[in-house]
Amino acid sequence: MSRDVVDTVTRTIPLEERIAEEPGRFRILTGDRPTGRLHLGHYFGTLHNRVRLQDLGVETFVIIADYQVLTDRDVADDLTGHVEELVLDHLAVGVDPERSTVFTHSAVPALNQLLLPFLSLVSVAELSRNPTVKDEIAHSRQAAVSGLMFTYPVHQAADILFCKADLVPVGRDQLPHLELTRTVARRFNERYGDGTSVFPEPEALLSRAPVLLGTDGTKMSKSRGNAIALAASPDETARLIRGAKTDAERHIHYDPEGRPEVASLLLLAALCQDRTPEEVAGEIGSLGAAALKKVVTESVNEYLAPIRARRSEYARDRGLLRRVLREGNEKARAVADATLAEVRAAMNSDY
């Protein structure tokens, strides 16, 4: 584990204590690209935490990053449909538009105008070293890397800094992105701040959620086609879990290092049951992989039942989805316009 990660883990504990004491002092920015339906990895990794922070009273901005769909896709197929599906998923899991601002990239011009001055603050070498960009490029669907892909971390910095978020819930794989955001904020303040801080240097709130594997034994991901979507039907969920990769050993026990696929299934059942993976494994024992998959299927379908019911109800009113976005976009635009005006004033370009 790198020193930066250790430092972030160390800071996360007192951060949580401060959030519990004064949640209203914090503002977070989080979100997703509308490239498909959200899945269980998203839910236990980030969505559950977003709702928790919102319910604590933290001011929450949720970005639907529609422009960033173009980073690794030549054509944004059915973008409107994907955006609406993403809004549905958020509403279904408990994101409340009365307490959280849900908005899209493309509807907030001032946010995107921050990209140009921010790009002047980082070097090409710094962008090329970013490990998250390297991974995204490795899984890209494009024959060549676009300029938008290369500048993706700086665009994400604009996402975070336009609303002056001081807290960003992230997984460990996203820490390089956030470190670049902190660098952009620090350099802008040093170059243009005139003794004042225009932007905060946002803190990472590291997720403690373990990584869930997909049905093929690799990280659960929309792009890899190995995910169990929140909107999947009970029958579809059962089919996907039946096809999940396990191993040849019959006795079921929890061993993340030696038996990662079995361990991930046990973890999924345990998260749904609010128990430990060891407890779930102890009940299955020598009954084998078929029994394990049956327990996982029943646990997932029971856990998702109320989420799916809410999702189905919201889906009947497509006007509601547009209204949530319209109101969220209006609020985000007002915040972004104010920030851009402050940036122009700091750069002496407010003529």
Side-chain angles (χ1 to χ4, degrees):
M1 190 182 296
S2 71
R3 182 174 179 178
D4 287 343
V5 173
V6 172
D7 289 345
T8 303
V9 172
T10 303
R11 292 196 301 267
T12 290
I13 297 172
L15 264 178
E16 287 282 7
E17 294 173 351
R18 286 163 52 201
I19 292 168
E21 291 173 359
E22 297 181 276
R25 289 185 57 187
F26 294 92
R27 174 181 282 182
I28 69 170
L29 184 286
T30 185
D32 304 278
R33 295 194 304 164
T35 55
R37 299 183 299 178
L38 298 183
H39 53 68
L40 287 169
H42 290 123
Y43 179 79
F44 287 112
T46 60
L47 295 176
H48 187 271
N49 198 35
R50 291 173 194 177
V51 175
R52 177 184 71 89
L53 292 166
Q54 167 199 270
D55 291 347
L56 282 173
V58 176
E59 186 177 9
T60 303
F61 282 74
V62 179
I63 186 168
I64 298 179
D66 53 346
Y67 272 172
Q68 288 178 2
V69 171
L70 302 174
T71 57
D72 61 352
R73 286 163 174 76
D74 294 313
V75 179
D77 295 324
D78 192 23
L79 189 55
T80 299
H82 286 321
V83 168
E84 291 187 352
E85 290 296 304
L86 211 57
V87 176
L88 269 176
D89 283 333
H90 279 85
L91 295 179
V93 302
V95 170
D96 181 358
E98 295 296 323
R99 294 179 289 167
S100 294
T101 302
V102 183
F103 67 100
T104 57
H105 251 159
S106 58
V108 189
L111 182 165
N112 298 291
Q113 286 186 58
L114 293 174
L115 179 60
L116 291 178
F118 286 178
L119 278 172
S120 73
L121 300 170
V122 297
S123 70
V124 171
E126 285 173 315
L127 291 175
S128 64
R129 286 196 300 265
N130 187 289
T132 310
V133 170
K134 290 180 179 178
D135 183 66
E136 291 287 346
I137 290 172
H139 292 94
S140 173
R141 299 181 184 180
Q142 292 180 313
V145 178
S146 71
L148 186 58
M149 169 69 84
F150 202 63
T151 60
Y152 172 57
V154 184
H155 204 172
Q156 194 167 66
D159 298 342
I160 296 167
L161 296 176
F162 96 92
C163 64
K164 299 192 177 184
D166 50 16
L167 198 61
V168 184
V170 294
R172 291 180 183 179
D173 60 335
Q174 295 172 305
L175 286 177
H177 273 328
L178 187 59
E179 192 54 43
L180 186 69
T181 299
R182 290 169 57 83
T183 298
V184 167
R186 183 169 58 254
R187 289 177 182 172
F188 188 94
N189 293 338
E190 290 170 352
R191 184 175 296 183
Y192 302 111
D194 192 26
T196 63
S197 292
V198 178
F199 293 109
E201 293 184 36
E203 289 276 4
L205 186 65
L206 198 61
S207 171
R208 299 178 201 169
V211 173
L212 285 174
L213 299 183
T215 54
D216 62 354
T218 66
K219 181 180 176 181
M220 192 176 291
S221 168
K222 288 181 289 186
S223 62
R224 297 177 187 178
N226 64 357
I228 300 170
L230 299 179
S233 69
D235 287 344
E236 183 183 0
T237 299
R239 177 181 60 78
L240 290 168
I241 294 174
R242 276 198 304 272
K245 185 178 179 181
T246 54
D247 58 37
E249 187 176 342
R250 182 167 182 79
H251 191 273
I252 301 300
H253 63 278
Y254 186 61
D255 179 5
E257 294 296 325
R259 307 180 69 188
E261 297 91 353
V262 168
S264 186
L265 287 171
L266 287 168
L267 176 60
L268 179 54
L271 288 168
C272 291
Q273 295 180 24
D274 195 21
R275 301 169 71 197
T276 68
E278 291 84 358
E279 289 172 332
V280 177
E283 292 184 354
I284 299 171
S286 61
L287 296 177
L292 168 62
K293 291 178 180 182
K294 182 175 184 295
V295 168
V296 175
T297 298
E298 292 173 350
S299 301
V300 169
N301 280 333
E302 182 177 352
Y303 190 91
L304 290 182
I307 293 174
R308 288 167 172 162
R310 287 193 297 270
R311 197 181 193 284
S312 178
E313 182 178 348
Y314 286 126
R316 297 190 191 101
D317 185 1
R318 311 304 283 196
L320 169 65
L321 307 182
R322 295 301 180 94
R323 187 163 64 252
V324 167
L325 283 177
R326 183 171 63 250
E327 294 174 356
N329 288 340
E330 288 175 0
K331 181 175 180 180
R333 276 196 293 269
V335 172
D337 287 346
T339 299
L340 184 60
E342 190 175 354
V343 165
R344 285 172 170 164
M347 297 176 67
N348 292 316
S349 61
D350 55 343
Y351 27 80

